[in-house]
Amino acid sequence: MKQSIIAKPDNLCYFCAKYGNLEKHHCLHGTANRKLADEDGLFVWLCHNCHMQLHDKGIGDKGLQIVAEKAWMSYYGKTEEDFIKRYGKNYILE
Ligand SMILES: [Zn+2]
Ligand SMILES: [Zn+2]
């Protein structure tokens, strides 16, 4: 499986840095984008608590979308236009 391209500490929750059982969170939502995010390494590892808060209350969701788009452009050497072509929108300007 491809590694995440988003910088993060190993084996720690991306948000709270808690150590333990982590869950994979795809930074971009929707069936198509989730699959692309998996291929491109746009995911982070979260503890159960932070993951639930993100999905239930949207805590950190927007920030992660922006982090993912910027990481994608810098890692692959692409522009915002390229990102829109692949993911259908520009999360930074949303
Ligand atoms: Zn956490
Ligand atoms: Zn998730």
Side-chain angles (χ1 to χ4, degrees), residues 37-70:
D38 209 34
E39 285 173 16
D40 290 350
L42 298 181
F43 51 83
V44 292
W45 297 93
L46 300 176
C47 71
H48 184 70
N49 193 37
C50 288
H51 200 195
M52 288 303 103
Q53 290 212 317
L54 190 156
H55 282 281
D56 289 350
K57 300 174 190 164
I59 294 173
D61 192 24
K62 183 69 202 166
L64 268 184
Q65 291 170 351
I66 292 169
V67 163
E69 181 170 343
K70 287 182 175 170

Side-chain angles (χ1 to χ4, degrees), residues 75-88:
Y75 186 88
Y76 295 106
K78 304 274 196 185
T79 64
E80 287 184 2
E81 287 72 39
D82 296 325
F83 186 87
I84 293 165
K85 268 183 214 148
R86 185 158 173 81
Y87 284 97

Side-chain angles (χ1 to χ4, degrees), residues 19 22-23 35 65 72 87:
Y19 181 84
L22 301 177
E23 299 171 0
K35 190 163 170 284
Q65 291 170 351
W72 187 86
Y87 284 97

